[in-house]
Amino acid sequence: MTAPLHVVILAAGQGSRMKSRLPKVLHVIAGTPMVHHVMATARKLGAEGLHLVIGHGGDQVQSATSGDGIHWVWQREQLGTGHAVAQALP
């Protein structure tokens, strides 16, 4: 028996190098926000749970993203990638 697959998607970044007020993960690639491509791939892999770590522009990310199995994780302080993953562990 295999353990259920859970995917942590890091979506809290500011995207300062993109020079945009739009959260990085909401930038459109091929007509779809970047984060939606990642979520679709996770679902194709059979992910039972999607854990989106949000921070900068988190309200916008929540508004633009929906679906069953999404668990929202706020990263209030952005202290790096390892910290972001640690926020999803509980």
Side-chain angles (χ1 to χ4, degrees):
M1 182 174 187
T2 60
L5 175 65
H6 286 260
V7 175
V8 176
I9 299 172
L10 305 180
Q14 293 184 25
S16 54
R17 288 176 287 223
M18 298 182 101
K19 304 206 186 309
S20 172
R21 291 185 178 181
L22 188 66
K24 177 172 34 182
V25 297
L26 294 182
H27 281 262
V28 175
I29 298 173
T32 303
M34 189 183 321
V35 70
H36 291 185
H37 290 286
V38 177
M39 291 171 58
T41 299
R43 287 189 172 119
K44 284 180 188 175
L45 291 171
E48 183 176 304
L50 298 178
H51 306 269
L52 269 75
V53 180
I54 55 176
H56 172 74
D59 292 330
Q60 289 176 281
V61 176
Q62 280 184 312
S63 294
T65 308
S66 63
D68 294 333
I70 297 177
H71 304 276
W72 300 103
V73 180
W74 279 92
Q75 183 185 23
R76 301 285 178 202
E77 289 184 273
Q78 294 186 345
L79 303 175
T81 304
H83 180 259
V85 173
Q87 301 309 293
L89 291 177

